[in-house]
């Protein structure tokens, strides 16, 4: 061996086995020692620190030769770093509890997005549009992990967070913290926008009946290899770590329950969903038992959620004996049965089952209601406070200030009730000496605090007092009171009690402001403001609550009112009225608006018109939410007022765009097409884009039955929508001197933005108008040159078949709009077969064949009484049948393909025979033979099974042929009846399979 080789070997053998702290991740990267490091009992750095460092290194921006910051390069080193981060997470078995506890939101977002990428989830595709049942198990699990994390993060963000104490200020650290905070807020904003989609994805996951698999370190290594070396192993059903269906459903149910519970604060009806999910989680935990390896549920937290749901949404079959004390109290509070609350609290003084904090919160709620003017609650407040006080002294706590306040002026009724509570709150036979001592001390102190000897004798002569205090103690107490009484009453002027001292002005102002926030009575609001302005002239009381929001077009006029009291009153009445209208409390909204209108009529014609406009919008909403839902036409005066608003030409009146939008939608929904097409003033069409759009829609509806040549307005409507969906382009010269084209999504060329058009369409309910809009967007979608599968729609032939400048249309936005419009339309009319076919075509075009079949079958079912009648031929056209055939073929349901080939006007024997030759069919095969009525296909089946030696299946085919109703000599009516009967049974069987 040469000296040089010997030196090299010595250097290699002496290399340290642990890397320097500064470059440990480089060491792991170069030496591939990650797995060895993770197997250590206490690896340093910890696995979660590894994830952070790997992703930070992979996401570092690069700097080019001109010292310009560039995005992180997609090179081999960065790909390996991301893969290492995923492998560490796989080592942790993708436990979200561990990952969320140790990783920030941006880091975990980056990690899960990398998991989606490596799991072959197509970028840009909405998860809600993907059929989990047809995806590879690891891909489906990656989508579930991401959406579980999304709603968990939203729920976690709603909890209050204790701010950490800041250390010495360091500029670099503060900048980094600020950047991370902004990034977290941006991610949360996106997650909240997608929350409804995430919930739909998880709800769909609960319908899965197969085990899923999550990536392990081994499967990630396989994915990193060349495609030819994987041999499809990651796509099979056994690759990765197996997650049983029950475990997956248990985790998903728990996370969905938490999400629904969080939403319940704004929509109480959602608590029912939360209750269902939490109790299902408990059932699944019982089923799984100790066998669970991957399902980690905080059972204490789950029990708390279940208890809260029992209170908020008690089950309908529960009797009063079965309800928990929480539920009983909650039901009593909702029904106003406060005496029963007192009884429950007295009983609880024996059992101590209700937490003290809960009892105090009930008392606070009652105090708030009493302060709002409900004087009948004063007595209840004392009784509940007395119950809480007795509970406190039994547990050794001090008497509350509230009790001393309420007991300043005792009377016979209060003392009788207090003695009753004390007697019923202690079982003298079973009570410990400490409980008896606490109760005796309390009664003794109450006596010492009383000035009237009559009340002292009421207590000292009570059976409980006599039992708890010895004779000597009782006599001593009575003597003390007798000696004290003359001096107190005759010689000494009573010292003013602390609780008799009047509250300060700031306390009174705070209480009045609190009442001002809660009140929706306009006259009470006016009275409170008069009192507040009498106390101080320095405050602007319209700023008391940040929930009081008035549109900016109005606020400038209102805040310009010189009189402070009038300004506050107008602002608050309008803000509260708008809020009541938003939450559909239309009666209070009307009262507030009417009071505001009466007030502003005296001094401001401009604000008077503003209030008339808002009251018009309120009346539209009231009708639409009430009698309008049952199809009752609006009163003629309301229609006249809507027309009057649209034709109004008063100068300098601040107008809200939403009112014009709602008015035009109102006219379209109630088929006032005659007015919109013939009677709208010309100036309106120029000045109001919604009126222009409404006129074109109404005219197109009117011209629809006529010949194609007369549909000029349809062409005008087409051009308007194409202009709205167009993109504006601008050129920019780069640093290299080249001119590049930059597209800006929202064009200013149209009469409105696409988002405004979509918002307007979602206010429409008239089926014909929605059908026309849908067909227009479908046609616009189909105009693309690269479109493979057209979407069909009613009245699609009325639109032009080409666009002069295809590059100017934002087809990506058009595709998104079509999906949103179909989803909205089906929410209005779920049984519209035309819209169901459009939805099916969309799924077909995006290769989601199971979902497409679901909607094709649903379209047929709704117009044939679940296939008991023949499906109309204009619903199941040859194109629809061919698409159903292709869906079944790609789902490997080849027998279904053969049967559907009979549905075509001319039976497609070639496709039928080819499908029957397939031997890996995923459907029921020979059990479908009874649905075949074409003898040629049955004869081919007989031949095929004979050729393959499948005797049993051949006999089934022969039996099907031998049915007398299929005899070729039968009359045509008999043959058609036989075919129709088999169609019905086959389609019903398919519906049960795909619904």
């Amino acid at each position: 061996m040469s000296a040089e080789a010997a030196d090299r070997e010595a250097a290699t053998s002496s290399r340290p086995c642990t890397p320097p702290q500064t470059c440990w991740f480089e060491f792991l990267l170069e030496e591939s020692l990650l797995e060895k490091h993770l197997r250590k009992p206490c690896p340093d750095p910890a696995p979660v620190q590894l994830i952070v460092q790997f992703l930070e290194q992979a996401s570092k921006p690069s700097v080019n030769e001109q010292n310009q910051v560039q995005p992180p390069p997609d090179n081999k080193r960065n790909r390996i770093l991301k893969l290492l981060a995923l492998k560490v997470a796989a080592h942790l078995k993708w436990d979200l509890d561990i990952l969320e506890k140790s990783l920030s939101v941006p880091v975990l977002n980056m990690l899960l997005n990398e998991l989606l990428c490596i799991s072959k989830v197509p970028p840009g595709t909405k998860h809600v549009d993907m059929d989990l049942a047809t995806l590879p198990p690891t891909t489906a699990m990656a989508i579930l992990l991401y959406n579980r994390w999304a709603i968990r993060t939203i729920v976690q963000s709603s909890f209050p967070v204790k701010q950490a104490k800041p250390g010495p200020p360091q500029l670099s650290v503060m900048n980094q913290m600020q950047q991370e905070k902004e990034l977290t807020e941006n991610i949360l904003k996106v997650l909240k926008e997608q929350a409804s989609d995430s919930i739909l994805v998880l709800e769909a996951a609960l319908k899965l009946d197969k085990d899923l698999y999550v990536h392990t370190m081994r499967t990630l290594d396989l994915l990193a290899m060349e495609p030819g070396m994987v041999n499809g192993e990651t796509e099979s059903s056994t690759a990765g770590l197996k997650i049983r269906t029950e475990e997956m459903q248990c985790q998903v149910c728990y996370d969905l329950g938490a999400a629904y519970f969080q939403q319940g604060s704004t929509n109480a009806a959602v608590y029912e969903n939360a209750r269902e999910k939490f109790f299902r989680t408990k059932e699944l935990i019982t089923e799984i038992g100790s066998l669970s390896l991957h399902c980690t549920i905080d059972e204490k937290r789950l029990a708390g959620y279940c208890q809260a749901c029992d209170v908020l949404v008690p089950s309908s079959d529960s009797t009063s004996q079965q309800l928990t004390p929480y539920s009983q109290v909650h039901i009593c509070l909702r029904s106003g049965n406060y005496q029963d609350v007192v009884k429950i609290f007295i009983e609880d003084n024996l059992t101590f089952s209700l937490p003290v904090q809960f009892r105090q919160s009930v008392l606070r709620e009652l105090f708030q209601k009493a302060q709002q003017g409900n004087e009948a609650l004063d007595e209840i407040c004392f009784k509940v406070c007395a119950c809480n006080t007795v509970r406190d002294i039994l547990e050794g706590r001090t008497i509350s200030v509230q009790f001393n306040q309420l007991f300043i002026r005792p009377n016979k009724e209060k003392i009788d009730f207090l003695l009753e509570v004390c007697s019923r709150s202690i079982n003298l036979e079973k009570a410990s000496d400490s409980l008896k001592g606490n109760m005796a001390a309390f009664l003794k102190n109450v006596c010492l605090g009383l000035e009237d000897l009559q009340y002292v004798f009421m207590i000292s002569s009570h059976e409980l007092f006599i039992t708890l205090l010895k004779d000597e103690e009782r006599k001593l107490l009575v003597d003390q009171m007798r000696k004290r009484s003359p001096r107190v009453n005759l010689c000494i002027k009573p010292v003013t009690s602390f609780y008799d001292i009047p509250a300060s002005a700031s306390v009174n102002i705070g209480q009045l402001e609190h009442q001002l926030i809660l009140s929706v009575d306009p006259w009470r609001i006016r009275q409170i403001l008069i009192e507040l302005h009498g106390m101080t002239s320095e405050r602007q009381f319209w700023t008391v609550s940040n929930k009081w929001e008035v549109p900016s077009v109005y606020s400038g006029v209102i805040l310009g009112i010189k009189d402070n009291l009038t300004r506050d009153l107008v602002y608050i009445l309008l803000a509260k009225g708008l809020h009541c209208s938003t939450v559909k409390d239309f009666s209070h909204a009307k009262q507030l608006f009417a009071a505001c209108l009466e007030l502003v009529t005296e001094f401001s014609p401009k604000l008077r018109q503003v209030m008339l406009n808002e009251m018009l919008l309120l009346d539209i909403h009231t009708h639409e939410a009430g009698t309008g839902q049952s199809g009752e036409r609006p009163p003629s005066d309301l229609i006249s007022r809507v027309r009057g608003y649209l034709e109004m030409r008063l100068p300098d009146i601040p107008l809200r765009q939403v009112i014009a939008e709602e008015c035009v939608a109102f006219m379209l929904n109630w088929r006032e097409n005659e007015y919109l097409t013939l009677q709208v003033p010309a100036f309106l069409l120029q000045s109001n884009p919604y009126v222009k759009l409404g006129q074109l829609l109404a005219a197109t509806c009117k011209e629809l039955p006529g010949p194609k040549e007369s549909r000029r307005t349809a062409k005008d409507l087409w051009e308007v929508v194409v202009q709205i969906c167009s993109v504006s382009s601008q050129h920019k010269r780069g640093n290299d001197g080249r001119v590049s084209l930059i597209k800006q999504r929202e064009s200013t060329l149209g009469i409105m933005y696409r988002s405004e058009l979509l918002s307007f369409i979602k206010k429409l309910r008239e089926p014909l108008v929605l059908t026309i809009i849908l067909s227009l967007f479908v046609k616009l979608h189909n105009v693309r040159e690269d479109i493979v599968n057209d979407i069909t729609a009613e009245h699609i032939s009325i639109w032009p078949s080409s666009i002069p400048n295809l590059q100017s249309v934002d087809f990506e936005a058009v595709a998104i709009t079509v999906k949103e419009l179909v989803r909205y339309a089906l929410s209005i009319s779920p049984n519209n077969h035309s819209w169901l076919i459009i939805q099916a075509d969309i799924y077909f075009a995006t290769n989601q064949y199971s979902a497409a079949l679901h909607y094709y079958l649903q379209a047929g079912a709704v117009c044939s009484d679940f296939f008991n009648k023949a499906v109309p031929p204009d619903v199941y056209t040859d194109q629809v049948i061919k698409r159903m055939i292709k869906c079944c073929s790609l789902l490997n349901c080849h027998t279904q393909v053969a049967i559907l080939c009979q549905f075509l006007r001319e039976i497609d024997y070639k496709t039928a025979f080819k499908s029957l030759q397939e031997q890996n069919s995923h459907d029921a095969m020979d059990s479908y033979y009874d649905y075949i009525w074409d003898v040629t296909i049955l004869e081919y089946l007989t031949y095929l099974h004979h050729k393959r030696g499948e005797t049993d299946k051949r006999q089934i085919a022969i039996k099907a042929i031998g049915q007398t109703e299929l005899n070729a000599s039968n009359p045509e009516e008999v043959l058609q009846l036989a075919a129709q009967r088999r169609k019905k049974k086959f389609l019903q069987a398919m519906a049960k399979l795909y619904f």
Side-chain angles (χ1 to χ4, degrees):
M1 181 186 296
S2 66
E4 185 178 342
D7 289 343
R8 191 162 56 247
E9 182 179 350
T12 304
S13 61
S14 63
R15 186 167 52 194
C17 60
T18 54
Q21 190 67 24
T22 56
C23 61
W24 51 265
F25 61 90
E26 294 286 354
F27 181 79
L28 291 174
L29 180 60
E30 292 176 7
E31 300 294 331
S32 301
L33 297 177
L34 178 64
E35 293 185 38
K36 183 177 178 182
H37 175 78
L38 292 174
R39 282 198 295 268
K40 292 179 182 178
C42 296
D44 185 23
V48 286
Q49 293 174 331
L50 285 174
I51 294 175
V52 174
Q53 293 295 337
F54 284 144
L55 291 178
E56 279 184 358
Q57 291 297 319
S59 60
K60 272 188 177 179
S62 60
V63 179
N64 62 14
E65 295 177 357
Q66 287 82 24
N67 287 329
Q68 293 177 327
V69 177
Q70 302 289 328
D74 185 20
N75 53 28
K76 182 177 179 181
R77 178 181 179 277
N78 283 349
R79 286 195 294 272
I80 293 176
L81 283 167
K82 292 175 183 177
L83 181 65
L84 290 175
L86 291 171
K87 290 175 72 173
V88 176
H91 169 75
L92 297 173
K93 296 182 180 177
W94 301 98
D95 190 327
L96 286 179
D97 289 333
I98 296 173
L99 295 173
E100 288 171 340
K101 204 172 288 183
S102 308
L103 298 180
S104 65
V105 170
V107 172
L108 194 44
N109 180 56
M110 193 187 310
L111 179 71
L112 292 174
N113 273 300
E114 288 301 326
L115 175 63
L116 291 174
C117 182
I118 206 168
S119 301
K120 305 296 188 297
V121 177
T125 304
K126 283 190 175 182
H127 295 172
V128 73
D129 292 335
M130 303 182 76
D131 185 3
L132 296 178
T134 61
L135 296 173
T138 50
T139 305
M141 194 63 197
I143 290 174
L144 286 191
L145 272 172
Y146 178 84
N147 287 283
R148 278 186 58 217
W149 167 75
I151 64 170
R152 286 163 66 108
T153 305
I154 294 168
V155 171
Q156 194 62 37
S157 70
S158 67
F159 298 153
V161 179
K162 185 178 179 181
Q163 298 293 332
K165 291 184 179 179
Q170 297 180 17
L171 188 59
S172 60
V173 175
M174 289 173 68
N175 287 340
Q176 185 178 352
M177 289 174 63
Q178 182 62 28
Q179 287 175 3
E180 184 171 324
K181 182 181 177 183
E182 290 175 0
L183 188 56
T184 302
E185 287 174 354
N186 290 336
I187 293 170
L188 272 172
K189 183 180 178 183
V190 174
L191 293 180
K192 287 176 181 177
E193 289 173 356
Q194 300 172 349
S196 57
D197 284 354
S198 293
I199 288 173
L200 288 174
V201 170
L202 296 182
E203 288 284 8
L206 296 179
K207 299 174 184 176
L208 295 177
D209 57 355
K210 64 177 182 179
D211 295 336
L212 297 180
Y213 294 82
V214 69
H215 281 301
T216 60
M217 297 178 77
R218 178 171 172 272
T219 59
L220 290 168
D221 278 335
L222 288 171
L223 285 171
M225 294 180 185
E226 294 298 324
M229 299 174 63
V230 179
N231 294 325
E233 184 169 356
T234 53
E235 297 295 327
S236 75
S237 60
T238 57
L241 183 65
K242 180 178 177 181
I243 308 294
R244 291 192 300 149
T245 308
E246 295 81 5
E247 293 177 313
M248 178 272 290
Q249 290 183 347
C250 186
Q251 292 174 318
V252 169
C253 276
Y254 180 75
D255 293 336
L256 278 173
Y260 286 138
F261 193 88
Q262 185 238 352
Q263 292 176 357
S265 58
T266 56
N267 182 4
V270 181
Y271 282 128
E272 183 65 47
N273 295 342
R275 185 182 190 281
E276 177 190 338
K277 293 294 182 284
F278 285 133
F279 280 85
R280 178 59 182 154
T281 305
K282 287 180 72 174
E283 292 173 8
L284 288 166
I285 288 175
T286 306
E287 288 178 23
I288 297 168
S290 59
L291 301 174
S292 176
L293 299 174
H294 315 295
C295 182
T296 55
I297 303 291
D298 185 344
E299 295 194 36
K300 287 186 178 179
R301 194 175 187 86
L302 174 62
Y305 272 131
C306 290
Q307 196 171 48
C309 289
D310 264 340
V311 171
L312 296 165
V313 190
S315 57
S316 56
D317 58 347
S318 298
T319 63
S320 59
Q321 289 78 17
Q322 293 171 327
L323 291 173
T324 63
Y326 286 101
S327 302
Q328 293 176 24
V329 171
H330 190 71
I331 292 169
C332 292
L333 289 174
R334 281 195 302 186
S335 61
N337 191 359
Y338 301 116
Q339 293 294 347
D340 281 357
V341 175
V342 175
K343 292 178 184 177
I344 294 167
F345 276 23
I346 293 174
E347 293 169 3
D348 183 65
N349 283 349
L350 285 170
T351 60
F352 294 177
S353 60
L354 292 172
V356 175
Q357 294 83 355
F358 174 73
R359 294 171 61 123
Q360 289 171 348
S361 71
V362 172
L363 180 58
R364 280 196 298 272
E365 184 178 337
L366 293 171
F367 268 129
Q368 287 176 355
K369 291 181 178 179
Q371 288 173 355
Q372 291 172 16
N374 191 344
E375 296 178 359
L377 286 179
D378 290 342
E379 180 187 352
I380 297 296
C381 287
F382 169 75
K383 289 183 176 181
V384 172
C385 186
C387 294
N388 286 354
T389 300
V390 172
R391 167 75 178 270
D392 287 339
I393 61 103
L394 287 174
E395 293 187 319
R397 287 186 292 275
T398 58
I399 298 173
S400 68
V401 174
Q402 290 170 324
F403 177 76
N404 287 326
Q405 284 179 315
L406 295 172
F407 206 63
I408 289 173
R409 297 179 180 83
N411 54 36
K412 183 178 181 300
E413 289 74 19
K414 287 184 177 181
I415 290 175
D416 277 341
F417 179 77
L418 184 61
L419 290 171
E420 180 190 353
V421 173
C422 292
S423 302
R424 292 173 58 185
S425 298
I426 187 168
N427 186 338
L428 293 174
E429 296 177 1
K430 299 180 180 178
S432 63
D433 291 339
S434 63
L435 283 180
K436 292 178 181 177
N438 290 342
M439 182 65 80
F442 171 65
L443 293 173
K444 187 176 176 182
N445 287 331
V446 170
C447 287
L448 290 171
L450 293 171
E451 295 180 359
D452 193 328
L453 287 180
Q454 177 188 354
Y455 298 147
V456 175
F457 291 136
M458 279 180 66
I459 296 174
S460 61
S461 61
H462 193 273
E463 181 182 355
L464 179 65
F465 187 90
I466 295 170
T467 306
L468 291 175
L469 272 79
K470 297 176 182 177
D471 290 342
E472 296 80 11
E473 290 178 317
R474 291 200 309 277
K475 288 176 182 177
L476 181 62
L477 177 64
V478 172
D479 289 341
Q480 285 178 341
M481 296 301 298
R482 281 176 176 163
K483 290 175 184 177
R484 191 191 69 172
S485 181
R487 290 201 299 272
V488 170
N489 290 338
L490 303 175
C491 305
I492 303 173
K493 182 179 179 181
V495 178
T496 304
S497 167
F498 170 77
Y499 304 103
D500 284 337
I501 299 173
S504 67
S506 62
V507 172
N508 287 333
I509 289 173
Q511 290 173 343
L512 287 172
E513 287 178 347
H514 181 67
Q515 292 178 33
L516 184 64
I517 291 171
L518 296 176
S519 180
V520 289
D521 179 3
W523 307 116
R524 176 63 182 149
I525 292 169
R526 178 176 176 275
Q527 183 183 359
I528 293 169
L529 281 172
I530 291 171
E531 291 182 44
L532 287 170
H533 278 276
M535 293 180 180
T536 176
S537 59
E538 299 174 358
R539 295 283 301 278
Q540 294 180 334
F541 293 104
W542 63 271
T543 61
V544 165
S545 173
N546 59 4
K547 301 291 184 184
W548 293 340
E549 295 180 356
V550 166
S552 56
V553 291
Y554 299 161
S555 58
V557 182
I558 296 172
L559 298 181
I561 298 173
K562 293 181 180 179
D563 182 67
N564 292 343
L565 174 59
T566 306
R567 180 197 59 215
D568 288 347
L569 185 54
V570 171
Y571 190 98
I572 292 171
L573 288 175
L574 180 55
K576 283 178 173 282
L578 290 171
H579 173 74
C580 288
S581 179
T582 303
V583 298
K584 300 188 185 307
D585 184 1
F586 299 125
S587 58
H588 279 123
K590 193 156 191 172
Q591 292 175 15
L592 291 159
F593 282 167
C596 192
L597 174 63
E598 184 180 346
L599 177 64
V600 299
T601 300
E602 300 174 0
F603 65 88
S604 175
K606 188 181 293 187
L607 284 175
R608 178 180 179 276
Q609 189 58 51
V610 164
M611 291 313 304
L612 288 173
N613 296 344
E614 289 298 330
M615 291 186 78
L616 170 62
L617 181 61
L618 176 65
D619 288 342
I620 289 173
H621 286 163
T622 304
H623 177 77
E624 298 294 299
T627 55
Q629 288 188 334
S630 60
E632 183 179 330
R633 281 189 63 78
S636 56
D637 69 309
L638 180 57
I639 296 175
S640 299
R641 288 166 60 201
V642 171
R643 291 182 179 183
Y645 175 83
L646 292 174
E647 297 170 12
M648 182 175 61
R649 298 186 70 174
L650 294 175
D652 301 328
I653 298 296
L655 299 173
R656 278 211 295 160
Q657 177 178 294
V658 69
I659 303 180
E661 197 177 337
E662 290 279 0
C663 284
V664 176
F666 176 83
M667 299 296 275
L668 285 169
N669 285 334
W670 295 106
R671 296 177 290 283
E672 291 292 322
N673 297 336
E674 201 70 30
Y675 171 78
L676 287 171
T677 52
L678 300 177
Q679 301 174 29
V680 171
F683 76 89
L684 266 182
L685 299 176
Q686 304 299 324
S687 61
N688 194 323
Y690 293 103
V691 175
K692 173 70 174 175
L693 187 62
Q695 189 234 16
L696 291 172
L697 283 168
T700 305
C701 289
K702 280 185 65 179
E703 292 181 359
L704 200 58
K708 187 173 181 180
E709 294 76 17
S710 66
R711 298 171 192 156
R712 295 185 59 185
T713 50
K715 185 180 179 184
D716 294 340
L717 178 59
W718 169 268
E719 290 173 354
V720 165
V721 173
V722 168
Q723 199 75 8
I724 291 171
C725 295
S726 296
V727 291
S728 59
S729 304
Q730 67 180 36
H731 295 82
K732 183 179 179 182
R733 189 174 297 278
N735 293 324
D736 56 357
R738 296 180 181 177
V739 176
S740 59
L741 182 67
I742 298 177
K743 283 189 175 181
Q744 297 178 345
R745 289 297 176 194
E746 288 286 345
S747 169
T748 56
L749 301 175
I751 61 173
M752 64 181 70
Y753 289 114
R754 185 182 65 87
S755 56
E756 293 172 335
L757 173 62
L758 191 59
S759 171
F760 171 71
I761 294 170
K762 287 186 177 181
K763 291 179 170 61
L764 301 174
R765 292 190 333 275
E766 171 59 24
L768 181 57
V769 179
L770 285 173
T771 299
I772 287 173
I773 293 170
L774 264 175
S775 70
L776 190 156
F777 273 97
V778 166
K779 183 67 175 183
L780 190 54
H781 173 273
N782 292 345
V783 164
R784 293 175 65 172
E785 293 176 344
D786 59 343
I787 201 76
V788 177
N789 294 307
D790 281 356
I791 300 173
T792 56
E794 273 189 296
H795 311 305
I796 201 167
S797 61
I798 70 173
W799 311 112
S801 56
S802 62
I803 299 175
N805 186 7
L806 278 175
Q807 291 76 19
S808 67
V809 178
D810 186 353
F811 285 108
E812 183 181 343
V814 170
I816 293 170
T817 305
V818 170
K819 291 180 182 179
E820 290 193 34
L821 289 181
V822 175
R823 194 177 302 168
Y824 169 72
L826 287 175
S827 72
I828 297 295
S829 178
N831 293 333
N832 188 305
H833 65 81
S834 170
W835 300 346
L836 289 167
I837 291 289
I838 295 175
Q839 181 68 82
D841 283 348
I842 290 171
Y843 280 124
F844 180 81
T846 53
N847 303 331
Q848 298 181 67
Y849 302 113
S850 179
L853 270 176
H854 169 92
Y855 282 98
Y856 284 133
L857 289 165
Q858 191 173 341
V862 297
C863 60
S864 64
D865 190 20
F866 198 68
F867 305 112
N868 284 309
K869 302 173 185 174
V871 180
D874 61 331
V875 177
Y876 275 2
T877 61
D878 272 6
Q879 181 178 338
V880 170
I881 298 298
K882 286 176 181 177
R883 290 189 171 185
M884 292 173 72
I885 288 170
K886 186 172 180 182
C887 289
C888 292
S889 177
L890 291 167
L891 292 171
N892 286 338
C893 298
H894 300 296
T895 315
Q896 294 173 6
V897 170
I899 297 171
L900 283 170
C901 285
Q902 302 173 109
F903 283 63
L904 296 168
R905 285 187 175 85
E906 293 185 8
I907 299 176
D908 186 355
Y909 289 112
K910 182 180 178 182
T911 304
F913 293 167
K914 186 178 178 182
S915 66
L916 292 173
Q917 290 171 8
E918 297 286 345
Q919 291 186 301
N920 63 337
S921 186
H922 291 176
D923 56 22
M925 297 184 70
D926 49 338
S927 65
Y928 281 125
Y929 291 176
D930 284 339
Y931 304 137
I932 301 175
W933 65 87
D934 185 80
V935 176
T936 306
I937 294 176
L938 287 170
E939 287 174 346
Y940 181 77
L941 273 172
T942 308
Y943 160 75
L944 200 61
H945 290 315
H946 174 72
K947 184 179 176 183
R948 292 174 181 169
E950 298 168 342
T951 308
D952 293 341
K953 292 181 179 180
R954 179 172 176 271
Q955 289 300 320
I956 296 171
I958 291 172
K959 183 181 176 183
I961 294 175
Q963 297 177 82
T964 54
E965 58 187 359
L966 297 183
N967 193 317
S969 302
N970 287 336
E972 186 64 27
E973 294 81 6
V974 175
L975 293 173
Q976 287 182 0
L977 189 61
Q980 189 57 45
R981 190 162 62 85
R982 283 162 175 74
K983 280 184 181 179
K984 165 192 165 182
K985 289 184 177 179
F986 172 68
L987 289 171
Q988 287 177 342
M990 288 277 283
K992 290 175 184 176
L993 187 63
Y994 287 98
F995 282 3

